[in-house]
């Protein structure tokens, strides 16, 4: 099981947090590929921690559905279920739409400026067909709004759902299009105008459209 050794180790986090975040990222981006059997001793050596935080992290990853543990036998990375996108995106869309509504009373000029600059970066990535960066920047854009909404329950649920969506996008080459750039612009404008009802609808549509695009790519 080849494991990278040149990864960045975050500072000021516990060994378990560090292990969990890194293992989840490796599963999402395919470094640890679907169906791969995981060796906790090898993972502990790669991350420079004991086996305890590795085992604890794997237990959390099993709860999230990223690995399957077979006691006394093996721990294995779960397969990617392409069709799960139809289950993942509707609740995520609802949470993102609610976040946009809740964020409006908390908006500042600095937040608007950050959203606008982030969408410009997103547009550049889309136009230059740097779809890997586009995916990451799109997530940044939406996370700004979630953070401003400042609801810890939404933040927790979005993080869990977003991790699975990110994995699907990585493994199935979902391509974000220019439509998303325009929708982001509309979201920013509606938030500036304090238009909660319409920003909620646009935000929800922005996420649900990905289901249609996903099935369109799958049938081509």
């Amino acid at each position: 099981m080849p494991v990278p050794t040149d990864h960045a180790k975050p500072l000021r986090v516990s060994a378990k947090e560090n292990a969990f975040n890194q293992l989840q990222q490796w599963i999402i981006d395919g470094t640890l590929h679907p169906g791969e059997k995981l060796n906790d001793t090898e993972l502990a050596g790669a991350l420079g921690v004991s086996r305890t935080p590795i085992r604890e992290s794997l237990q959390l990853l099993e709860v999230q559905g990223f690995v399957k543990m077979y006691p006394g036998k093996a721990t294995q990375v779960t397969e990617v279920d392409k069709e799960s996108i139809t289950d993942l995106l509707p609740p995520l869309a609802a949470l993102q739409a609610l976040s946009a509504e809740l964020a409006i009373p908390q908006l500042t000029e600095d937040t608007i400026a950050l959203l606008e600059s982030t969408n410009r970066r997103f547009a550049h990535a889309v136009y230059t067909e740097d779809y890997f960066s586009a995916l990451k920047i799109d997530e940044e854009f939406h996370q700004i709004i979630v953070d401003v909404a400042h609801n810890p329950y939404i933040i927790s649920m979005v993080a869990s759902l977003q991790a699975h969506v990110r994995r699907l996008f990585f493994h199935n080459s979902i391509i974000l299009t220019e439509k998303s750039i325009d929708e982001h612009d509309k979201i920013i404008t509606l938030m500036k105008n304090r238009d909660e009802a319409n920003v909620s609808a646009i935000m929800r549509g922005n996420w649900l459209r990905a289901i249609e695009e996903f099935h369109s790519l799958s049938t081509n």
Side-chain angles (χ1 to χ4, degrees), residues 30-44:
T31 300
L32 299 174
H33 56 78
E36 182 167 0
K37 292 183 179 179
L38 303 179
N39 182 301
D40 56 0
T41 301
E42 187 175 347
L43 291 172

Side-chain angles (χ1 to χ4, degrees), residues 5-191:
T5 57
D6 59 348
H7 56 87
K9 295 182 175 65
L11 300 176
R12 297 180 182 176
V13 297
S14 70
K16 184 172 74 172
E17 287 177 296
N18 182 23
F20 173 81
N21 290 335
Q22 189 62 70
L23 292 175
Q24 185 190 65
Q25 179 57 40
W26 282 341
I27 292 170
I28 286 170
D29 67 21
T31 300
L32 299 174
H33 56 78
E36 182 167 0
K37 292 183 179 179
L38 303 179
N39 182 301
D40 56 0
T41 301
E42 187 175 347
L43 291 172
L47 291 172
V49 297
S50 70
R51 292 171 65 188
T52 298
I54 295 297
R55 288 171 175 170
E56 292 174 342
S57 297
L58 291 175
Q59 289 170 350
L60 290 174
L61 289 166
E62 182 176 40
V63 171
Q64 289 194 341
F66 286 108
V67 304
K68 178 65 177 176
M69 302 181 79
Y70 301 92
K73 295 182 180 180
T75 298
Q76 201 166 6
V77 178
T78 56
E79 298 293 335
V80 177
D81 179 6
K82 297 180 180 181
E83 295 304 318
S84 67
I85 194 169
T86 59
D87 295 323
L88 281 168
L89 288 188
L92 184 54
L95 289 168
Q96 294 281 359
L98 178 58
S99 294
E101 293 180 40
L102 296 176
I104 285 178
Q106 316 298 327
L107 276 183
T108 65
E109 291 184 5
D110 287 344
T111 301
I112 291 296
L114 180 58
L115 287 169
E116 290 174 338
S117 64
T118 303
N119 198 36
R120 286 194 294 270
R121 290 169 49 226
F122 174 70
H124 176 75
V126 171
Y127 290 137
T128 57
E129 299 184 355
D130 183 358
Y131 298 119
F132 177 82
S133 293
L135 176 61
K136 296 179 70 174
I137 299 168
D138 179 71
E139 189 172 335
E140 283 181 43
F141 177 88
H142 291 285
Q143 190 62 45
I144 292 167
I145 297 171
V146 170
D147 289 341
V148 171
H150 199 60
N151 184 304
Y153 298 100
I154 292 177
I155 290 171
S156 176
M157 288 185 284
V158 165
S160 178
L161 291 169
Q162 187 70 61
H164 286 280
V165 171
R166 198 182 311 133
R167 189 185 188 204
L168 282 173
F169 276 39
F170 270 118
H171 284 269
N172 295 292
S173 301
I174 300 296
I175 295 176
L176 296 170
T177 66
E178 295 177 21
K179 290 181 181 178
S180 290
I181 301 170
D182 295 335
E183 286 166 350
H184 287 178
D185 281 332
K186 289 178 182 177
I187 288 167
I188 295 170
T189 298
L190 290 168
M191 292 184 76

